[in-house]
Amino acid sequence: MAMKEVSMISRKYCWVIRRYNGIHTCTRATISQDHSKLDSNTIAEAIKPLVEADSSLKVKSVITEVQSKFNYTAMCHKEPSAVVHFETMPAYQGDDLVTDIRVLHRVFWSYYSCIRAFIHYKPVVQVDGTHLYGKYKGCLLVAVSQDGNNNIVPIAFAIVEEETSDAWHFFLSNLQQHVVTRDSVGLISHRHESINAAVTRSNGAWPPPKAFHMFCIRHIESNFLRKFKAPYLQKFVVNIGNIEQYALAFDGGYRWSHMTTNLVECINSVLKGACNLPITALVKATFYRVNEL
């Protein structure tokens, strides 16, 4: 039983508690079904010991634990899994074919949250590749988009042998099939012949009216300088371009004012350290860093 002293404040027409002694005894052991305090942080603290003990903890175990601890169903179902598509090659020992082993050739993946979110992004995608520098050589291909608040969001990844026409075709085909399923999307890349060839052979997936392939003006500028060795003309290349695929005035609005592939290059910079990692660790790094974003 608690003791408290209450007095009325003069001319304020209200009461104030001056002193309170006693123990609050009406705390419930559970949280009601509509309690706003049962957020992700609360749930995370509750299941942290379980995850530390077993990193392969199942979703049903999380549901059971929260129900038991709070009398609340915090998670009704798990999210669908990520999209993963890979290609393999035969394995050889010397000149002999190893019949029971296949070697990873290429792998594409996109997380479900990114796929679902792209519906609400600007209909523009930037793509680029960066080299892997660790034990396993190859290239990491990345597709990036942007939301209405100008936040940069990676939407798909692939590890391929190098930036060939076949590799880009593998990446762009999976990107269109699983992630960029909308029409009239602007695709911005550097002017690499392998990308152009992949777009051309995409069976109508990337050419208009499904998508509009455009070039990064900074790469056009760089190519111009490398060929003509005229630095004083660089700015004119940017300012007077009249080709639909790289001039803002002729883009039909599909660029959304993006003249370069800077967005995807930012993500490449974020993942730079991860490019030294083995393949499995690299994939995990993209998962954790996308979660941070």
Side-chain angles (χ1 to χ4, degrees), residues 110 114 118 121-129 140-147 150-157 168 171-172 175 179-180 185-189 206 255 258 260-271 290 293:
S110 179
C114 299
F118 180 72
Y121 294 164
K122 298 175 183 177
V124 62
V125 176
Q126 297 184 15
V127 296
D128 197 10
L140 173 68
L141 306 183
V142 182
V144 168
S145 188
Q146 190 181 56
D147 68 14
N150 296 327
N151 296 308
I152 305 171
V153 188
I155 57 175
F157 305 88
W168 274 109
F171 180 62
L172 292 178
L175 181 65
V179 187
V180 185
V185 172
L187 175 68
I188 304 177
S189 72
W206 288 106
R255 276 187 180 272
H258 293 267
T260 68
T261 54
N262 284 354
L263 299 187
V264 68
E265 288 170 13
C266 286
I267 297 300
N268 284 340
S269 178
V270 169
L271 294 171
V290 168
L293 286 176

Side-chain angles (χ1 to χ4, degrees), residues 209-224:
K210 291 284 292 183
F212 297 82
H213 185 205
M214 298 162 289
F215 302 131
C216 170
I217 190 63
R218 189 174 60 78
H219 285 88
I220 297 291
E221 177 187 2
S222 177
N223 293 343
F224 176 88

Side-chain angles (χ1 to χ4, degrees), residues 123-141:
V124 62
V125 176
Q126 297 184 15
V127 296
D128 197 10
T130 185
H131 292 288
L132 304 183
Y133 299 102
K135 177 181 178 181
Y136 303 99
K137 307 302 180 183
C139 284
L140 173 68
L141 306 183

Side-chain angles (χ1 to χ4, degrees), residues 216-225 228 230-243 246-247 259:
C216 170
I217 190 63
R218 189 174 60 78
H219 285 88
I220 297 291
E221 177 187 2
S222 177
N223 293 343
F224 176 88
L225 178 63
F228 294 102
Y232 65 94
L233 291 177
Q234 275 184 283
K235 62 179 181 180
F236 294 106
V237 174
V238 176
N239 293 336
I240 68 174
N242 61 357
I243 299 176
Y246 75 88
M259 292 299 294

Side-chain angles (χ1 to χ4, degrees), residues 5-23:
E5 179 182 311
V6 181
S7 60
M8 185 175 183
I9 300 178
S10 177
R11 297 180 184 178
K12 295 294 183 180
Y13 303 102
C14 63
W15 295 84
V16 62
I17 296 176
R18 299 286 190 186
R19 180 169 56 86
Y20 178 85
N21 296 321
I23 301 174

Side-chain angles (χ1 to χ4, degrees), residues 43-44 46-48 50-51 54 56-70 72-75:
I43 297 172
I47 68 172
K48 183 179 178 181
L50 300 179
V51 176
D54 181 10
S56 62
L57 184 70
K58 304 298 182 183
V59 172
K60 63 181 181 180
S61 300
V62 175
I63 296 173
T64 301
E65 175 67 13
V66 175
Q67 283 178 330
S68 172
K69 195 163 188 176
F70 301 113
Y72 190 95
T73 305
M75 186 184 300

